[in-house]
Amino acid sequence: MSVVLPESINTLENGTFLRCWDLTEIHLPESLTSIKDGVFWECHSLESINLPANIKTIGENAFLGCDNLRKIYCKPTTPPSIERYTFDHDIDNRKIYVPSNSVNAYKTAKVWAIFDDEITGYNF
């Protein structure tokens, strides 16, 4: 299942796609600034996500249980605020792509530093 969200959305509320096991692809609008707690919790079929440049906060458990989420494209040049359990910690071969000129900012940012070896530069 693929979902395209309209540009008018700026916040995804708690649990919006909770346990949406058939969700394989989602297109987040550039207007999105906040992903609340548990939005994509246990979306097992989700393999990649493109986080728009305007995202400022990603809540607790937002992507917890997304055990096939291997590619995270995070466009903001300033690392968004995340929580300790925003993402699963034990995902093999996951890459978190961030703007090439922001790699150090992500690797040293609070909580993002946990994912230091998964963060790599990308030219968006």
Side-chain angles (χ1 to χ4, degrees):
M1 174 175 57
S2 181
V3 175
V4 177
L5 297 175
E7 282 298 324
S8 59
I9 293 178
N10 59 17
T11 299
L12 289 178
E13 296 297 337
N14 295 352
T16 303
F17 293 97
L18 175 70
R19 294 188 181 113
C20 189
W21 295 312
D22 294 331
L23 182 67
T24 57
E25 184 178 22
I26 187 157
H27 297 278
L28 301 175
E30 286 300 318
S31 59
L32 191 66
T33 59
S34 179
I35 296 173
K36 301 287 186 176
D37 297 346
V39 170
F40 296 101
W41 193 351
E42 294 186 358
C43 290
H44 300 293
S45 297
L46 193 60
E47 296 179 358
S48 71
I49 190 82
N50 289 300
L51 300 171
N54 291 320
I55 202 85
K56 304 285 186 241
T57 61
I58 306 172
E60 188 79 18
N61 303 323
F63 295 95
L64 199 65
C66 295
D67 45 12
N68 287 305
L69 185 60
R70 298 280 191 278
K71 294 179 183 176
I72 300 167
Y73 296 91
C74 194
K75 294 181 182 178
T77 54
T78 300
S81 171
I82 64 172
E83 302 295 329
R84 179 155 176 75
Y85 294 104
T86 293
F87 303 106
D88 273 325
H89 290 273
D90 298 323
I91 302 293
D92 292 331
N93 303 315
R94 176 175 54 201
K95 290 289 183 194
I96 301 173
Y97 299 98
V98 302
S100 294
N101 60 348
S102 299
V103 170
N104 191 54
Y106 275 84
K107 288 187 173 197
T108 59
K110 182 179 178 185
V111 186
W112 284 102
I114 295 169
F115 306 103
D116 176 34
D117 59 343
E118 298 175 21
I119 295 172
T120 190
Y122 190 81
N123 292 321
F124 290 99

